[in-house]
Amino acid sequence: TVEKKMSFYETHFYQKFILWMGSFNEGVDFINNKFDDDAIFINSKFQDLAFINGRFLGEIRFDACLFVNSFAIKNTLITKEINFQNAQLGKHVVFDGIESESIFRFEETVLPDTLELMNLDLALSLDFDKANFTKNNHCLLYLENVDISDFWLDFRFFKLWFPSRCKLDNAARIELF
């Protein structure tokens, strides 16, 4: 168990990165990092985890991970599949400024209370089709500058959410429904 905040700044991971059964009671930040091979996180617990300005050239896996508070991927290139199989995404997840050539899978994943999807450039879909909706009946969903036509999701389990910073006025928000 790591009790202090950890930051990996401008780190280049040349080979496969594997983190198994880690426990982080404070935040973990990966800022300006490059992963040349797979990045695999298995059965680990994170209070908060963020990837900012990253490059992932291999597969990314978060199998059976627990994210207690927040998880964010911002301004990041992802070239292969990202998988959240059996993960619990906690309270708040942000995907912002992601460019990806592959699919995002959420098989048996417990979705967060709130999910923000912003400024996504995705060649393939976000696959929420097999997510686990037993924890909460609805996931609050904020969308900004994204095309949801390729998302695989059941809208019965999502509610649109407009944070205070949202640029849409009330009339435009109502029109979305």
Side-chain angles (χ1 to χ4, degrees), residues 3-4 19 32-34 56 60 69 71 87 90 95 107 109 112 115-116 121 130 133 147 165 169:
E3 299 292 339
K4 295 184 177 183
L19 177 66
N32 298 329
N33 293 287
K34 182 178 180 185
F56 289 92
I60 311 166
N69 282 328
F71 175 70
F95 294 148
E107 188 171 329
T109 304
L115 175 61
E116 296 187 48
D121 182 9
K130 295 180 181 174
F133 294 99
D147 178 6
R165 71 177 186 282
D169 62 21

Side-chain angles (χ1 to χ4, degrees), residues 65-70 86-93 108-115 130-140 156-158:
C65 285
L66 169 62
F67 302 93
V68 177
N69 282 328
S70 66
N86 294 308
Q88 296 180 44
L89 295 182
K91 296 178 183 171
H92 196 172
V93 172
E108 290 303 317
T109 304
V110 176
L111 294 180
D113 297 334
T114 304
L115 175 61
K130 295 180 181 174
N132 180 340
F133 294 99
T134 58
K135 176 186 165 254
N136 51 6
N137 290 331
H138 292 93
C139 174
L140 296 179
R156 293 177 301 165
F157 299 109
F158 294 87

Side-chain angles (χ1 to χ4, degrees), residues 19 33 40 48 77 83 85 91 107-108 115 119 153:
L19 177 66
N33 293 287
I40 301 172
D48 300 288
L77 171 69
N83 197 320
Q85 186 170 356
K91 296 178 183 171
E107 188 171 329
E108 290 303 317
L115 175 61
N119 307 306
L153 54 86

Side-chain angles (χ1 to χ4, degrees), residues 8-171:
F8 295 90
Y9 182 73
E10 293 188 351
T11 306
H12 192 156
F13 299 92
Y14 292 96
Q15 297 180 346
K16 193 173 287 190
F17 176 88
I18 299 175
L19 177 66
W20 180 59
M21 295 187 69
S23 182
F24 301 88
N25 290 338
E26 294 294 326
V28 179
D29 295 330
F30 289 85
I31 301 170
N32 298 329
N33 293 287
K34 182 178 180 185
F35 293 82
D36 287 346
D37 204 336
D38 298 344
I40 301 172
F41 302 82
I42 300 173
N43 200 24
S44 294
K45 176 185 170 189
F46 300 93
Q47 195 70 23
D48 300 288
L49 179 63
F51 295 93
I52 300 168
N53 299 323
R55 292 176 54 87
F56 289 92
L57 305 181
E59 183 179 3
I60 311 166
R61 300 193 65 87
F62 294 100
D63 296 349
C65 285
L66 169 62
F67 302 93
V68 177
N69 282 328
S70 66
F71 175 70
I73 301 177
K74 298 181 178 182
N75 303 318
T76 295
L77 171 69
I78 299 171
T79 62
K80 296 196 177 166
E81 180 175 311
I82 182 169
N83 197 320
F84 294 91
Q85 186 170 356
N86 294 308
Q88 296 180 44
L89 295 182
K91 296 178 183 171
H92 196 172
V93 172
V94 176
F95 294 148
D96 184 8
I98 296 174
E99 180 183 343
S100 178
E101 301 168 5
S102 195
I103 195 163
F104 286 49
R105 294 193 188 278
F106 296 88
E107 188 171 329
E108 290 303 317
T109 304
V110 176
L111 294 180
D113 297 334
T114 304
L115 175 61
E116 296 187 48
L117 304 175
M118 300 173 290
N119 307 306
L120 302 179
D121 182 9
L122 307 176
L124 296 174
S125 69
L126 296 175
D127 181 4
F128 295 106
D129 196 40
K130 295 180 181 174
N132 180 340
F133 294 99
T134 58
K135 176 186 165 254
N136 51 6
N137 290 331
H138 292 93
C139 174
L140 296 179
L141 180 63
Y142 175 65
L143 303 169
E144 181 181 316
N145 195 24
V146 296
D147 178 6
I148 64 166
S149 62
D150 288 330
F151 290 10
W152 300 345
L153 54 86
D154 187 337
F155 280 104
R156 293 177 301 165
F157 299 109
F158 294 87
K159 289 184 179 181
L160 285 181
W161 171 64
F162 302 99
S164 59
R165 71 177 186 282
C166 179
K167 299 168 188 154
L168 294 176
D169 62 21
N170 282 338

